[in-house]
Amino acid sequence: QVQLEESGGGLAQSGGSLRLSCVASGSIYSINVMGWFRQAPGKQRELVAGINHGGSANYADSVKGRFTISRDNAKKTVVLQMNSLKPEDTAVYYCQATLQKTAWSNWADYWGQGTQVTVSS
């Protein structure tokens, strides 16, 4: 089984920082992209940031200049450094990976369980 294990969520004050980490484990041949999504109550799940195998990243407009995504391919890890946090960043954050389990497999999406990020004013 493929597992995405998230850590680093919690409570922060406005202007503060949090660092989210996600480690992929299990039967994995290759990971194409890894990223972070978030979902606030009553809203659609949205892409926060994604990064491909070569390190090319993209960000939601709302987090550009504040969040930084990075990955370590050898460790199958993706990190989201969140700075200058705002109350509107409050949401459940989900780690996502698009990967092949074997060289013959189709690409498939996997998700973490989600971690709560709460930013107080």
Side-chain angles (χ1 to χ4, degrees):
Q1 289 282 93
V2 174
Q3 182 178 5
L4 302 181
E5 184 176 1
E6 301 150 325
S7 62
L11 179 65
Q13 294 183 336
S14 294
S17 298
L18 287 172
R19 188 179 185 92
L20 304 183
S21 296
C22 175
V23 180
S25 62
S27 299
I28 300 171
Y29 174 75
S30 180
I31 302 176
N32 183 3
V33 297
M34 301 184 77
W36 292 91
F37 290 72
R38 68 186 181 188
Q39 188 166 24
K43 293 188 176 182
Q44 294 273 328
R45 185 175 297 187
E46 65 173 347
L47 174 68
V48 179
I51 185 167
N52 68 15
H53 190 272
S56 180
N58 61 79
Y59 300 88
D61 288 340
S62 60
V63 307
K64 285 181 179 177
R66 300 188 297 121
F67 292 8
T68 302
I69 190 168
S70 61
R71 67 186 282 176
D72 185 325
N73 292 331
K75 297 180 179 179
K76 299 182 178 65
T77 299
V78 62
V79 171
L80 184 68
Q81 178 67 45
M82 304 186 294
N83 297 326
S84 302
L85 284 164
K86 304 175 181 179
E88 50 263 45
D89 294 319
T90 296
V92 178
Y93 284 69
Y94 298 89
C95 178
Q96 182 270 337
T98 302
L99 56 84
Q100 292 175 293
K101 297 186 71 175
T102 75
W104 313 109
S105 302
N106 292 322
W107 297 102
D109 293 335
Y110 291 84
W111 295 87
Q113 293 295 310
T115 183
Q116 178 70 46
V117 170
T118 302
V119 183
S120 64
S121 59

